[in-house]
Amino acid sequence: MNDISAMISASIQDKARVVEILSASFDQNKSVNQLVKQDGRRLQRIKMLMGYAFDECMEFGQVVISKDRDCCALVLFDERKHFSFRSLFRDLKLTLFIAGLGNIGRVMTKEKMVKQAHQELAQGKPTYHLWFIGVDPSVQGQGEGSHLLTALLAESKALGRLLLLETSTEKNLPFYAKFGLKIYKEIDAGYPIYLLSY
């Protein structure tokens, strides 16, 4: 994969593959593991979370996948997010089956801090919220993620949207920095979450 043309819009038929890639990529992620209930069904809950995020982005943003189906990204256009019965049902499912009732307060607090920081930085400008980006573990380290991120940065610029993302994985910061993303805020959710923009 070497240019923007290698990135295509995903369809509902790509959902299982996207969920597979992202679940493997985020298995050990602090934010994801804070969100999902930690029990014997943790891995299944991570897959459900990625399915939830896929559906949210299909309704309020976009899902992209490489033509070779080895990497993908979920993007939200935050200003498009609005009430729908589909999203209400997804949120209920998230609360009951993925996070668990006892975990939801902590999750909502973190999400509120992230959303507020993004809104303060964007100041009403349209955003390109790169929610999840992942590469199949079998091809990690071969440049797939770099090519996809380059394409996403180019698309956000062409659309005139401020690209925003957050990560709790400190070792990913140098990777993002080499593409020109800068940390604009760090929040404490019991662990540091780095908010970046481009």
Side-chain angles (χ1 to χ4, degrees):
M1 184 165 80
N2 55 20
D3 62 17
I4 293 173
S5 66
M7 179 179 82
I8 59 173
S9 291
S11 71
I12 196 67
Q13 287 77 25
D14 296 307
K15 182 176 181 177
R17 180 62 179 144
V18 169
V19 167
E20 178 185 15
I21 292 168
L22 294 177
S23 297
S25 298
F26 286 84
D27 177 38
Q28 298 302 314
N29 181 276
K30 290 177 191 171
S31 289
V32 165
N33 279 288
Q34 181 193 51
L35 179 96
V36 301
K37 189 174 180 182
Q38 299 294 298
D39 60 12
R41 298 179 60 220
R42 183 185 71 85
L43 294 177
Q44 184 180 357
R45 292 179 199 282
I46 290 175
K47 288 180 181 178
M48 290 171 70
L49 171 64
M50 296 308 167
Y52 164 87
F54 179 95
D55 293 339
E56 284 285 290
C57 289
M58 289 295 278
E59 185 170 357
F60 303 123
Q62 67 179 2
V63 180
V64 294
I65 191 165
S66 60
K67 286 184 178 175
D68 59 15
R69 303 298 196 267
D70 282 336
C71 56
C72 60
L74 303 182
V75 178
L76 276 173
F77 300 134
D78 291 324
E79 78 282 356
R80 290 187 188 170
K81 193 137 164 70
H82 63 274
F83 173 81
S84 74
F85 286 108
R86 282 189 304 245
S87 65
L88 175 63
F89 178 74
R90 284 194 299 268
D91 288 346
L92 288 171
K93 187 176 172 184
L94 173 71
T95 302
L96 296 174
F97 301 112
I98 300 171
L101 290 172
N103 202 22
I104 204 66
R106 185 175 41 182
V107 170
M108 289 177 66
T109 299
K110 184 198 90 171
E111 291 303 314
K112 183 179 177 183
M113 288 190 296
V114 170
K115 183 178 180 179
Q116 183 177 355
H118 284 339
Q119 287 174 339
E120 287 171 2
L121 182 71
Q123 296 182 348
K125 292 182 233 170
T127 59
Y128 190 97
H129 183 180
L130 182 52
W131 196 7
F132 290 104
I133 182 171
V135 178
D136 187 291
S138 68
V139 296
Q140 284 180 0
Q142 297 177 23
E144 296 284 319
S146 294
H147 292 306
L148 180 57
L149 184 56
T150 299
L152 295 167
L153 293 170
E155 183 181 61
S156 69
K157 187 174 181 181
L159 294 173
R161 290 178 169 270
L162 177 66
L163 186 138
L164 302 169
L165 68 86
E166 58 273 352
T167 185
S168 59
T169 308
E170 193 170 344
K171 70 178 183 178
N172 289 348
L173 294 175
F175 172 77
Y176 291 130
K178 77 178 183 179
F179 290 93
L181 284 100
K182 296 187 177 4
I183 298 171
Y184 72 88
K185 189 165 188 171
E186 182 180 329
I187 61 174
D188 182 5
Y191 54 88
I193 298 178
Y194 305 96
L195 308 184
L196 297 95
S197 67
Y198 177 82

